[in-house]
C-alpha cells in the first residue's frame, strides 16, 4: 500500500465474511441510497511486513473490493462524518493510526450489495487504484462462480444488447457470441495497443461477437468497445481494439474497421482482452449496456 508518499508491504488475512440484514442499514448513519441494500461484514487481519512503522493504516482497505454476482463492485459503507464502520453498525472496528513492523491488527469493513445479489469474490488491487489489468490478489467465495454461471446465456444464443447509436438513439441490437480464443503475445507484435509492462507479461484472449443493425440508418460499428471478458476472480477485462488501417491479428479477424453496417445487415467484431495474473480464468463475455446498469453475458467456451 502507499501512504505518506511511501510504500509499505502488508499481509492481509481474511477471517470472515458475514451477510447482514437490511434492517442494519436502515438504522445506521449511512447514505440514503444504501439503506435498501444488504450489508456484508468483512473481517480481516493486517500485518505490517515492512521494516518501518506504517502510517495511514486505514488506506489498506481502500485497495479491497467486494465483487457481487452481478459482476459489480460492492459499495464500501461510510458512516456519516467518519471512517468506514461505526458504532451504529455491527461492523464497527477501526484500524490504529500507525502500525509497528511485525505488528498486526484486526478490522471489520462493511460493503453494501443490492438485494438478491451474492458475493463472487474479494479482490485486492496493488497500487491503490482499481486497474482491471493490473496485479491483484483474489479470495474466491464458495458458490460464487456457480451462481454467476447459472445466469449466463449459452454461446450462440441471440441476446438483444442496448447500444447508443447517437442520433438514432438507443438500439437493441441482436448479438451472438461467436467464439473466445486464447492467443499469444507473439500475435500482438504489430498492432500498437498501448500495453503496460504488466500486460506484456499477460495472455491475450480474442472475443468475436456478431451484431445485427436494427436501426433506420447505417450503423457505425464500435460495439466492441463495450465488450468485457469476465473472469473467475470477478474482474471485467476491457477490450483493446486497434484503430488502424490494417487490423489483421492472427486469431482475431474483424470486418469492422473503417466501415459501417447497413440496416438489417450484420457484422462480426473481434476485440483483444489481455489477462494479467496467474490462474485467473475467463468464464463469460459481457456487454456493458447503454443507459442501463450491469451486463448481459454469455458463457465463455474457450477454443
Amino acid at each position: 500500500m502507499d501512504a505518506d508518499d511511501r510504500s509499505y508491504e502488508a499481509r492481509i488475512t481474511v477471517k470472515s465474511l458475514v451477510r447482514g440484514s437490511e434492517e442494519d442499514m436502515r438504522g445506521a448513519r449511512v447514505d440514503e441510497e444504501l439503506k435498501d441494500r444488504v450489508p456484508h461484514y468483512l473481517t480481516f487481519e493486517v500485518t505490517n511486513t515492512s521494516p518501518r512503522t506504517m502510517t495511514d493504516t486505514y488506506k489498506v482497505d481502500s485497495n479491497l473490493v467486494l465483487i457481487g454476482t452481478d459482476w459489480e463492485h460492492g459499495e464500501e459503507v461510510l458512516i456519516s462524518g467518519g471512517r468506514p464502520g461505526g458504532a451504529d453498525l455491527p461492523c464497527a472496528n477501526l484500524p490504529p493510526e500507525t502500525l509497528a513492523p511485525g505488528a498486526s491488527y484486526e478490522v471489520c469493513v462493511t460493503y453494501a450489495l443490492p438485494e438478491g445479489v451474492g458475493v463472487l469474490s474479494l479482490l485486492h488491487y496493488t497500487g491503490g487504484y482499481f486497474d482491471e489489468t493490473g496485479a491483484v490478489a483474489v479470495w474466491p467465495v464458495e458458490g460464487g462462480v456457480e451462481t454467476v454461471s447459472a445466469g449466463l446465456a449459452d454461446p450462440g444464443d441471440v441476446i438483444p444488447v442496448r447500444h447508443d447509436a447517437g442520433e438514432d438513439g438507443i438500439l437493441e441490437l441482436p448479438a451472438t457470441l461467436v467464439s473466445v480464443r486464447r492467443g499469444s503475445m507473439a500475435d500482438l507484435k504489430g498492432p500498437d495497443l498501448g500495453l503496460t509492462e504488466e500486460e506484456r507479461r499477460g495472455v491475450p484472449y480474442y472475443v468475436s461477437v456478431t451484431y445485427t443493425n436494427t436501426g433506420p440508418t447505417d450503423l457505425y460499428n464500435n460495439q466492441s468497445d463495450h465488450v468485457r471478458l469476465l473472469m473467475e476472480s470477478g474482474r471485467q477485462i476491457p477490450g483493446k481494439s486497434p484503430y488502424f488501417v490494417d487490423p489483421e491479428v492472427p486469431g482475431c479477424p474483424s470486418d469492422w474497421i473503417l466501415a459501417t453496417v447497413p440496416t438489417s445487415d450484420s457484422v462480426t467484431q473481434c476485440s483483444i482482452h489481455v489477462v494479467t495474473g496467474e490462474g485467473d480464468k475467463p468464464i463469460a463475455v459481457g456487454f456493458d449496456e447503454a443507459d442501463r446498469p450491469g451486463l448481459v453475458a454469455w458463457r465463455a467456451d474457450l477454443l
Side-chain angles (χ1 to χ4, degrees), residues 61-86:
D61 64 74
S62 67
N63 296 1
L64 283 167
V65 181
L66 197 69
I67 306 294
T69 51
D70 59 354
W71 305 98
E72 299 297 326
H73 293 184
E75 184 80 22
E76 186 172 349
V77 177
L78 301 175
I79 300 301
S80 299
R83 294 176 178 176

Side-chain angles (χ1 to χ4, degrees), residues 29-81:
R29 291 174 291 125
V30 300
D31 292 341
E32 287 298 319
E33 61 266 23
L34 296 180
K35 294 205 171 184
D36 61 349
R37 297 197 176 193
V38 179
H40 291 71
Y41 305 124
L42 174 70
T43 300
F44 57 96
E45 181 183 76
V46 176
T47 302
N48 182 6
T49 56
S50 298
R52 59 183 179 273
T53 296
M54 181 186 295
T55 60
D56 297 336
T57 56
Y58 68 92
K59 290 186 178 181
V60 171
D61 64 74
S62 67
N63 296 1
L64 283 167
V65 181
L66 197 69
I67 306 294
T69 51
D70 59 354
W71 305 98
E72 299 297 326
H73 293 184
E75 184 80 22
E76 186 172 349
V77 177
L78 301 175
I79 300 301
S80 299

Side-chain angles (χ1 to χ4, degrees), residues 135 185 195-204 274-278:
M185 274 297 159
L195 300 179
T196 65
E197 287 303 314
E198 186 77 27
E199 288 175 318
R200 292 183 188 281
R201 295 189 293 270
V203 177
V274 179
V275 175
T276 57
E278 297 290 334

Side-chain angles (χ1 to χ4, degrees), residues 250-261:
C252 193
S254 188
D255 55 10
W256 68 278
I257 298 294
L258 303 179
T260 56
V261 186

